[in-house]
Amino acid sequence: MAQPSIPVPLFEALKLRTIGQGNYVFTLPGSFCFGSRIFGGLLISFVHLAAREYFTTTHSKQGQPDVLSMQLQFFRLTFPSEASISIEDIHLGKSTSTIQVTVSQGGKKCLVGYLNMTNLQASKGISFETSWTLTPAPIEASILMLAADIDPRWISYQTPYHPESFRRVQSYLKFFIPYEPGDLTSVDQWVTPSDPQTTFTNENIGFVADLSLPILDNFYPKEATGCHAAIVAAGLLQKKDRENDIIRVPDVSSGSYETPAMIITLATNIEIKKRLPICGVKWLFMRAQAKQIKNGRMDMEVVILDEKMDLVALSSQVLSIVDLKRVKKTKPTL
């Protein structure tokens, strides 16, 4: 099957233009959308990038170039167009500092967050070995076999890119999930960038954490195209196409998404545990898990690990469940 032709790779999209101390403007490309709205994980990556830029220029003497944690609140939808970021100092400390970051579009605030900055490489302090591991343990995987798409325990799926498909932003990652279904309330997945020149850096952690395959769809096994069974079936079809050298030209239905309801992020907290190599990494493991789905709300915790299964980041999200038909009717309003 032909690889989706993504117009703007992630590493090219994440570009800021400085317009003053702590003030930046940037462009939100239409390829990073669910429907008409910009994917929130892209905004998180821009916030991370701006904070890092701010502390390597304006506050370079602090020696705190790394984002330690983010507490973000989403207020309004954003759409493909230009947006801006403004940063305000809250506290500058010796080991950690706190800033407030605001994302605006069309003169309206869309996201406000507090970020703690530090130096992850130079951090020192009391440490104990906790021997923590994921429970239950993930199904074993070989990175070499995943890269070759031949691991018998995992099936790959990549959303074909089309500029008018609903979930086109998912085309930026290639997902691998176990053949065997797990608990309805969780999703284990290995992810790698679909663009061969792209790698995952710390700036991308929020993007990855927010793009997990949908847990909610597992509760609509006969209706949702994002449930475990549907993803495995779609992955097997792509596998068959590869084996038979069949090339399909993506159309608007290739990346379609059908389900009674979907989730929208209201707030997210992210704690980053380690600094990834500057050159980035090609593979991350992610477990997303929900504890309660009730009264139109859902929680989601995401654990991200590297190839060695070392802890990279933790994320928790407050989610609203909305009717998909309503979402699809959303028109861009700046």
Side-chain angles (χ1 to χ4, degrees), residues 16-253:
L16 295 170
R17 181 163 60 90
T18 305
I19 57 174
Q21 184 170 299
N23 291 281
Y24 309 90
V25 293
F26 54 97
T27 299
L28 296 170
S31 56
F32 289 87
C33 284
F34 274 110
S36 62
R37 61 183 68 189
I38 288 292
F39 167 57
L42 181 66
L43 296 182
I44 298 174
S45 285
F46 270 113
V47 166
H48 191 137
L49 183 65
R52 181 173 177 82
E53 174 69 18
Y54 185 60
F55 268 80
T56 54
T57 54
T58 301
H59 291 314
S60 59
K61 292 183 179 180
Q62 296 294 124
Q64 299 166 0
D66 301 312
V67 174
L68 173 63
S69 65
M70 296 185 271
Q71 295 82 41
L72 307 173
Q73 182 77 44
F74 294 86
F75 298 123
R76 292 183 177 86
L77 301 177
T78 52
F79 301 96
S81 184
E82 190 173 86
S84 64
I85 287 177
S86 60
I87 297 178
E88 177 186 349
D89 295 337
I90 301 300
H91 170 73
L92 298 178
K94 291 182 179 180
S95 61
T96 61
S97 296
T98 304
I99 55 174
Q100 178 179 294
V101 179
T102 302
V103 176
S104 302
Q105 188 177 59
K108 297 178 180 179
K109 294 180 181 179
C110 303
L111 179 157
V112 173
Y114 288 92
L115 280 70
N116 290 314
M117 306 296 297
T118 191
N119 188 320
L120 292 172
Q121 296 289 81
S123 295
K124 296 180 180 179
I126 296 172
S127 300
F128 295 103
E129 177 57 54
T130 65
S131 301
W132 173 87
T133 58
L134 284 173
T135 304
I139 293 175
E140 187 178 350
S142 162
I143 295 299
L144 291 177
M145 295 179 77
L146 289 178
D149 243 323
I150 57 172
D151 194 312
R153 299 152 295 195
W154 296 75
I155 181 69
S156 70
Y157 175 72
Q158 185 175 345
T159 301
Y161 178 80
H162 187 278
E164 296 178 11
S165 65
F166 181 80
R167 53 174 175 174
R168 53 194 177 274
V169 67
Q170 282 191 336
S171 303
Y172 280 87
L173 298 183
K174 186 173 184 178
F175 295 86
F176 292 76
I177 64 170
Y179 278 101
E180 294 298 321
D183 191 291
L184 289 178
T185 61
S186 67
V187 179
D188 281 2
Q189 54 221 294
W190 281 97
V191 294
T192 189
S194 57
D195 173 63
Q197 299 183 55
T198 300
T199 58
F200 296 130
T201 61
N202 278 43
E203 288 85 355
N204 307 145
I205 288 174
F207 183 91
V208 172
D210 208 36
L211 200 54
S212 167
L213 291 172
I215 293 171
L216 187 66
D217 282 20
N218 289 335
F219 291 86
Y220 299 110
K222 296 181 180 180
E223 304 165 90
T225 55
C227 69
H228 181 273
I231 293 294
V232 169
L236 285 172
L237 180 59
Q238 292 184 351
K239 184 175 184 288
K240 183 178 180 181
D241 284 349
R242 288 193 301 271
E243 292 170 347
N244 292 285
D245 295 322
I246 296 175
I247 297 176
R248 301 181 189 271
V249 178
D251 57 25
V252 67
S253 65

